[in-house]
């Protein structure tokens, strides 16, 4: 029984090129395993230790063991990890759905903290892991690794696992933590990929001030260009659907156009060497704010569940895929003569990940708290511990980058490279299973479900009255509710006292006056006689 990947979908990592029968067996096996993961995940829904990511990893590992036993160890390629499959087909629906479903008000309220953690924090973690790798691995003599490899190790292990974060944190129970950890994860992934590409493109043997400035400029260019491309694609989809209103004839066209334009934003970013992760994330945010309100009621229900379903299947597929690939004996045979050294390398990397994350979470949280006046908006020490812990998981981004740096076509003949690949797999499996299993219990201990973790959890746009109340000194809110006239503070005074609320207030005014009339959105939905939207509108009156 061969499980090599080839034939028509050889680059996707699913089918075998040996025979049609083997291809059918491979597909049947994988679909059956996906169904098994869903069923077991459902049965373990209330379990405080397990989640679907860990379930899929364990099932993948068990399946790999069974296949190795049935082939008597001859099948060295159960599944070959494919970067194309991960970056082009599995990651986009996961990140897009996260942007589409995210509570925008909560996300943008903490936007500066998210950027601080995701960009500055990743650079701090990258520096510590890279320096630690140089210090320890050169003494251990694990193989021929140069300075570029050590810097790549820093970028690889600075990439947190955004997918697993979705599994262990609940957006409704802990909205502040969810927005911080997941938002940081998205920016972190993009920063790690940019770092990794910069290391490969620049002459790391001759680093000087000019190269550092070029890298910083390149990062900001990629960040803003990727964000702009995602927002532009989302606005374009909103404008097209609002003007043509496909729903009067076919809701299927609306749904198809939203899906395809979301995917197009990601592929355009990859084509232009931008960050597809950031692009598709912000495309999801813009589509949920404008495009989603322009489609019929049936299309809204369909798109919401379709995007969530695609994301759900991709997540399970991804962890099952990583679990099975971890037992590819081709990688392990190069380190079989020195298992102690392999365990030592993995332990050192895990320790550097722990230290690297702690080195920025606690200091940057302290700096962030200095800008917050309300106690509810500050990141308490217990929340800081949770943020540190929830971001320790490493996933498929780390594996994909490690394969890119240390292998060619999934294989390597160099001992040092094989050591890094197996150590990456070990760290990913250990961090996902152990840290992932302990995250939910840790949150329950540190942040009990009944406690109030954030002052305002609503994802709905605030009313002007509530916005004004948020900008007023204590004691004046009652006058607002009573309908009394209150002297509005100057714009500068508002900005200095409540910067986040002020920016949000003026953005809402601009959005209502200019953006929504052009691109649609809540309150600007086109009504066509006889359409599902029109019927639902009259049903509410």
């Amino acid at each position: 029984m061969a499980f090599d990947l080839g034939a028509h979908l050889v680059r996707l990592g699913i089918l075998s090129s040996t025979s049609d029968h083997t291809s059918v067996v491979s597909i049947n096996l994988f679909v059956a395993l996906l169904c098994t993961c869903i069923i077991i995940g459902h049965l373990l829904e209330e379990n405080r230790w397990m989640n679907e990511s860990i379930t899929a990893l364990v099932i993948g590992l068990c399946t790999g063991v069974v296949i190795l036993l049935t082939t008597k160890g001859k099948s060295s390629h159960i599944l070959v990890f494919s970067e194309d499959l991960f970056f082009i087909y599995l990651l986009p629906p996961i990140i897009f759905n996260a942007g589409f479903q995210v509570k925008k008000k909560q996300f943008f309220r903490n936007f500066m903290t998210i950027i601080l953690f995701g960009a500055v924090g990743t650079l701090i973690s990258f520096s510590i892991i890279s320096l630690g790798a140089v210090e320890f691995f050169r003494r251990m003599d694990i193989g021929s690794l140069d300075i570029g490899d050590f810097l790549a190790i820093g970028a690889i292990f600075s990439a947190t696992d955004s997918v697993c974060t979705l599994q262990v944190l609940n957006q409704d129970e802990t909205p502040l933590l969810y927005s911080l950890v997941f938002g940081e994860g998205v920016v972190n992934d993009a920063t790690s990929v940019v770092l990794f590409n910069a290391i490969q493109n620049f002459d790391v043997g001759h680093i000087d001030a000019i190269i550092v400035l070029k890298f910083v400029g390149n990062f900001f260019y990629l960040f803003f260009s990727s964000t702009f491309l995602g927002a532009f694609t989302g606005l374009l989809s909103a404008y097209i659907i609002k003007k043509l209103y496909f729903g009067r004839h076919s809701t299927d066209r609306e749904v198809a156009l939203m899906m395809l334009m979301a995917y197009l934003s990601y592929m355009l970013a990859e084509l232009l060497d931008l960050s597809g992760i950031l692009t598709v994330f912000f495309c999801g945010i813009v589509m949920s704010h404008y495009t989603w309100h322009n489609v019929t009621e049936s299309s809204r229900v369909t798109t919401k569940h379709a995007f969530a379903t695609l994301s759900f299947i991709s997540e399970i597929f991804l962890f099952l895929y990583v679990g099975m690939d971890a037992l590819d004996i081709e990688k392990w045979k190069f380190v079989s003569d020195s298992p102690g050294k392999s365990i030592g390398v993995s332990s050192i990397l895990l320790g550097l990940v722990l230290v690297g994350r702690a080195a920025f979470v606690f200091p940057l949280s302290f700096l962030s708290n200095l800008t917050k006046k309300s106690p509810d908006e500050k990141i308490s020490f217990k929340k800081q511990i949770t943020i540190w812990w929830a971001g320790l998981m490493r996933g498929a981004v780390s594996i994909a980058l490690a394969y890119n740096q240390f292998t060619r076509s999934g294989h390597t003949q160099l001992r040092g490279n094989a050591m890094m690949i197996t150590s990456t797999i070990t760290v990913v499996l250990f961090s996902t299973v152990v840290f992932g299993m302990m995250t939910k219990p840790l949150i329950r201990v540190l942040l009990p479900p009944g406690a109030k973790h954030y002052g305002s959890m609503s994802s709905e746009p605030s009313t002007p009255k509530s916005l004004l109340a948020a900008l007023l000194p204590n004691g004046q809110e009652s006058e607002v509710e009573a309908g009394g006239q209150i002297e509005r503070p100057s714009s500068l005074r508002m900005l200095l006292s409540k910067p986040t609320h002020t920016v949000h207030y003026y953005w809402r005014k601009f959005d209502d006056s200019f953006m929504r009339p052009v691109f649609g959105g809540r309150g600007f939905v086109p009504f066509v006689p006889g359409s599902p939207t029109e019927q639902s509108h009259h049903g509410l009156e």
Side-chain angles (χ1 to χ4, degrees):
M1 185 183 296
F3 289 87
D4 295 334
L5 309 180
H8 180 60
L9 296 178
V10 64
R11 297 187 67 202
L12 309 190
I14 300 174
L15 304 184
S16 170
S17 58
T18 54
S19 68
D20 292 338
H21 179 263
T22 306
S23 299
V24 173
V25 170
S26 300
I27 294 174
N28 273 280
L29 173 67
F30 223 91
V31 172
L33 288 173
L34 286 171
C35 293
T36 304
C37 290
I38 293 172
I39 293 169
I40 295 178
H42 172 72
L43 295 175
L44 297 174
E45 180 72 27
E46 301 301 323
N47 190 287
R48 62 186 297 184
W49 300 100
M50 297 293 287
N51 59 59
E52 271 147 349
S53 301
I54 298 171
T55 303
L57 267 177
V58 172
I59 291 174
L61 286 168
C62 293
T63 306
V65 171
V66 171
I67 295 171
L68 280 174
L69 291 175
T70 55
T71 59
K72 298 180 180 178
K74 294 178 182 178
S75 178
S76 61
H77 299 123
I78 302 165
L79 275 179
V80 178
F81 190 89
S82 167
E83 290 178 64
D84 286 347
L85 174 67
F86 171 66
F87 279 112
I88 298 179
Y89 299 99
L90 294 180
L91 194 59
I94 296 171
I95 302 299
F96 174 80
N97 183 64
F100 193 76
Q101 304 284 355
V102 76
K103 294 185 176 182
K104 296 181 288 295
K105 185 177 178 182
Q106 188 79 335
F107 177 81
F108 285 105
R109 174 183 280 137
N110 301 295
F111 188 71
M112 292 310 298
T113 306
I114 288 169
I115 295 298
L116 196 65
F117 279 11
V120 179
T122 303
L123 290 173
I124 294 172
S125 178
F126 161 77
S127 302
I128 290 175
I129 294 173
S130 296
L131 291 172
V134 171
E135 181 68 22
F136 290 108
F137 294 161
R138 281 186 171 172
R139 293 181 181 180
M140 295 177 68
D141 187 29
I142 63 173
S144 55
L145 299 178
D146 56 28
I147 186 65
D149 292 325
F150 291 121
L151 292 176
I153 289 170
I156 289 165
F157 289 98
S158 295
T160 60
D161 187 7
S162 307
V163 179
C164 213
T165 302
L166 294 172
Q167 298 279 346
V168 298
L169 291 178
N170 188 295
Q171 185 167 206
D172 296 315
E173 293 178 3
T174 53
L176 173 62
L177 287 177
Y178 183 94
S179 65
L180 284 178
V181 178
F182 177 73
E184 176 224 330
V186 173
V187 179
N188 165 280
D189 284 344
T191 306
S192 299
V193 173
V194 170
L195 269 171
F196 186 82
N197 291 336
I199 291 165
Q200 292 189 322
N201 294 333
F202 291 131
D203 182 7
V204 293
H206 302 84
I207 298 177
D208 55 25
I210 301 298
I211 289 178
V212 173
L213 287 175
K214 280 184 178 179
F215 168 74
V216 173
N218 187 42
F219 172 75
F220 282 108
Y221 164 74
L222 285 172
F223 182 85
F224 289 110
S225 300
S226 303
T227 302
F228 173 78
L229 179 59
F232 176 79
T233 310
L235 290 174
L236 182 62
S237 70
Y239 185 78
I240 292 172
I241 289 178
K242 181 174 182 290
K243 285 296 180 183
L244 300 181
Y245 197 60
F246 291 86
R248 74 180 65 173
H249 300 299
S250 170
T251 58
D252 297 339
R253 290 173 186 163
E254 289 182 321
V255 176
L257 191 65
M258 285 185 70
M259 288 183 171
L260 291 173
M261 290 200 72
Y263 189 65
L264 179 65
S265 71
Y266 183 86
M267 295 310 297
L268 277 174
E270 294 298 312
L271 182 66
L272 299 172
D273 292 327
L274 301 176
S275 172
I277 296 172
L278 277 177
T279 297
V280 79
F281 179 72
F282 281 99
C283 181
I285 290 178
V286 172
M287 277 195 174
S288 69
H289 190 64
Y290 297 107
T291 314
W292 191 72
H293 294 283
N294 294 343
V295 300
T296 60
E297 193 68 28
S298 56
S299 292
R300 292 186 198 178
V301 175
T302 303
T303 51
K304 185 175 181 180
H305 290 288
F307 292 142
T309 302
L310 287 172
S311 174
F312 177 71
I313 294 174
S314 296
E315 289 173 23
I316 297 176
F317 190 104
L318 187 57
F319 285 100
L320 188 62
Y321 194 58
V322 171
M324 293 181 74
D325 183 63
L327 291 177
D328 179 6
I329 61 174
E330 191 75 32
K331 308 179 187 72
W332 294 96
K333 69 181 182 181
F334 289 99
V335 297
S336 59
D337 61 330
S338 55
K341 187 171 285 188
S342 179
I343 293 173
V345 170
S346 301
S347 301
I348 289 170
L349 287 171
L350 204 57
L352 289 173
V353 167
L354 289 164
V355 174
R357 185 158 181 82
F360 77 82
V361 167
F362 298 107
L364 295 184
S365 295
F366 174 76
L367 290 177
S368 176
N369 286 342
L370 293 178
T371 65
K372 311 283 186 181
K373 292 188 176 181
S374 169
D376 287 335
E377 294 180 349
K378 291 186 177 183
I379 308 171
S380 66
F381 184 68
K382 289 183 177 180
K383 290 177 183 176
Q384 292 176 32
I385 294 175
T386 309
I387 292 169
W388 169 69
W389 185 268
L392 289 173
M393 289 169 281
R394 297 297 178 263
V397 172
S398 294
I399 290 183
L401 295 179
Y403 272 64
N404 187 297
Q405 179 70 20
F406 297 110
T407 73
R408 294 292 178 270
S409 303
H411 309 288
T412 179
Q413 302 297 322
L414 300 175
R415 183 170 176 273
N417 288 0
M419 185 79 73
M420 293 315 306
I421 291 292
T422 54
S423 298
T424 302
I425 292 172
T426 303
V427 170
V428 167
L429 291 176
F430 182 87
S431 64
T432 302
V433 174
V434 177
F435 297 154
M437 286 178 67
M438 296 179 66
T439 300
K440 282 184 179 179
L442 183 71
I443 292 174
R444 292 190 182 190
V445 171
L446 295 177
L447 307 168
K452 181 181 178 183
H453 304 309
Y454 197 78
S456 174
M457 297 188 183
S458 174
S459 62
E460 296 299 319
S462 302
T463 61
K465 186 178 289 185
S466 64
L467 272 173
L468 183 58
L471 296 168
L472 294 172
N474 292 334
Q476 293 188 14
E477 291 91 338
S478 57
E479 296 182 47
V480 175
E481 294 180 4
Q485 295 296 319
I486 296 172
E487 181 182 354
R488 173 181 287 181
S490 66
S491 298
L492 180 60
R493 181 181 163 195
M494 289 167 63
L495 184 61
L496 292 175
S497 61
K498 292 279 187 179
T500 306
H501 291 292
T502 307
V503 171
H504 184 253
Y505 172 75
Y506 282 108
W507 159 250
R508 285 296 307 278
K509 290 185 69 174
F510 174 77
D511 193 28
D512 291 340
S513 301
F514 299 101
M515 298 296 287
R516 293 191 188 190
V518 176
F519 298 106
R522 190 193 305 272
F524 293 88
V525 181
F527 291 99
V528 176
S531 71
T533 310
E534 192 266 346
Q535 291 170 12
S536 66
H537 174 72
H538 285 299
L540 294 173
E541 292 179 347

